[in-house]
Amino acid sequence: MFAQLKGLFSNDIGIDLGTANSLVYVRDRGIVLREPSVVAIQAGTNNVLAVGEEAKRMLGRTPGNIIAIRPMKDGVIADFDVTGAMLRHFIQRVHHRKLIAPRVVVAVPSGITEVERRAVKDSVTHAGAREVYLIEQPMASAIGVGLPVHEPAGNMIVDIGGGTCEMAIISLAGIVFSRSLRVGGDEFDETIVAYMKRAHNLMIGERTAEEIKIRTGSAYPLEQELTMDVKGRDLSTGLPKTITIRSEEIREALKEPLSSILESIRITLERCPPELAADLVDRGIVLAGGGALLRQIDRLIAEETYLPVHVADDPMSAVAEGTGRVLQELQFLKRVASSSG
């Protein structure tokens, strides 16, 4: 009986509201939902037809009366109403038949404005939350990968998400310096689309670009280079066409967004106090987020910074795990929430 009552009142939810994917963590249950941040709506209305994986399959393939959209852009809300509908869908899926509205922790990019913060809080409140706390993504990510953030020592996290790249130096449970760059996995995909158009006269969609990135993308030369057949539309004839691409080409195409990330890492390290910089020589940098899965990105960053670089065990879950762990410590949660706006 007590267990059932506890279930009715276990109201804490952590949300990683990502540009590419949204993850939901429920206290005592872990990550229970992992879906693409995509919503399919009926044209001219706010009538939601599909959310998440089902909606993502519709991207670029919908008839005129259905629109598949991604309501998050660069880590922030681009479409308030649709984001609210998506959040309601996610919260209802994990929080059914509870007596009390949930308390929700949402991870947000460190560089967002006060207006953007308010938009996130309002969206989550309208989706049915009792209380909303915001935590900065790099802090959530650092906690999620298990960095000892409470210690008086330097920890550096670089979280490469779909819309943003967040990097921060953390000590004594606070962010010493952080930088938010609006470059991430989406930018990688857009760069690949532009490269295919420029180099091969081939028009491809964003889903195909993402597949190319996953199957052949790399940040540093590979021991065994990869190839892949790509289907698209020939821009000169307008007809479907298949070509074979090599991983070397994609690496060259990704140079520009990767250079932006490296430059931001360098700036962050330059702003690091000397004592904490000394800690980083031993501890190095931890990579999280979906972008950390790009082949050899750790090696590229290590070569540029002369520091050890480690990829988190489950980089895509880091932020959601962090929101979940913060839920366990209410005092820490309130302190972090007040310090981040």
Side-chain angles (χ1 to χ4, degrees), residues 189-205 208-209 212 216 228-235 241-246 249-250 253:
D189 297 346
E190 287 165 20
T191 304
I192 291 169
V193 169
Y195 172 80
M196 295 302 288
K197 198 187 288 186
R198 187 177 67 248
H200 295 287
N201 214 25
L202 191 75
M203 190 70 185
I204 59 169
T208 303
I212 292 169
T216 68
M228 174 183 169
D229 287 342
V230 177
K231 299 180 181 73
R233 192 178 80 234
D234 189 312
L235 285 169
K241 176 180 163 185
T242 303
I243 64 160
T244 302
I245 54 150
R246 303 185 318 281
E249 295 180 70
I250 303 307

Side-chain angles (χ1 to χ4, degrees), residues 176-235:
V176 178
F177 180 78
S178 69
R179 194 167 166 83
S180 182
L181 183 69
R182 296 202 173 182
V183 171
D186 287 354
E187 181 99 359
F188 293 171
D189 297 346
E190 287 165 20
T191 304
I192 291 169
V193 169
Y195 172 80
M196 295 302 288
K197 198 187 288 186
R198 187 177 67 248
H200 295 287
N201 214 25
L202 191 75
M203 190 70 185
I204 59 169
E206 61 181 76
R207 287 191 63 198
T208 303
E210 185 183 23
E211 193 184 344
I212 292 169
K213 176 183 71 182
I214 292 167
R215 287 179 53 186
T216 68
S218 64
Y220 195 86
L222 304 171
E223 281 182 27
Q224 181 89 44
E225 296 292 352
L226 306 164
T227 60
M228 174 183 169
D229 287 342
V230 177
K231 299 180 181 73
R233 192 178 80 234
D234 189 312
L235 285 169

